Each structure stands twice: as structure tokens, then as C-alpha cells.
Amino acid sequence: MGLRLRVILSTLISLAILWLAWRLASSAATNFQAGDHAAGWRDSVLALAQLSVAGGVLWEAWRSRP
């Protein structure tokens, strides 16, 4: 697979992960407002983990760009 294609795919994957993290953060806020703190904390931790993964994917794409 070409380097440019790999960078494009990595960027698209990281954008999808960021979208999922945004959805989880929204879910966490809704859970906290509803009083379900356990689910809110779970969704918050998952959103942070996804942000970390997306950051790693973006970093690798940026480092290996043509």
C-alpha cells in the first residue's frame, strides 16, 4: 500500500474514532445529568481512551506523511 494512501486511511480512521469519542462524551454528559454516575464515568473513561488512540493514529500519520 502506498504511503500516501496509508496516511489518508489513518486520517479517516482517526476521524471516525474522534466521532465515536464525541458520541461517548455526549452520552457521559447525559448520564451524569440523569444521575447515573457509574455509566457517566464509564463513558468518560472510554471517550478518553478513544481520544488517546485517535491521537496516536494521527501522530503516526503525521510522522510518516510524504
Side-chain angles (χ1 to χ4, degrees):
M1 177 177 354
L3 185 61
R4 189 171 302 228
L5 181 59
R6 189 171 67 190
V7 170
I8 290 170
L9 287 176
S10 296
T11 303
L12 289 174
I13 289 169
S14 64
L15 288 174
I17 293 170
L18 287 172
W19 178 77
L20 290 172
W22 175 260
R23 300 269 308 181
L24 275 172
S26 297
S27 175
T30 302
N31 288 332
F32 278 125
Q33 289 176 350
D36 189 358
H37 296 287
W41 281 113
R42 180 198 66 221
D43 289 346
S44 296
V45 169
L46 287 174
L48 286 174
Q50 285 185 340
L51 287 174
S52 174
V53 169
V57 171
L58 279 176
W59 173 253
E60 285 300 317
W62 183 80
R63 232 173 39 117
S64 65
R65 72 188 187 282

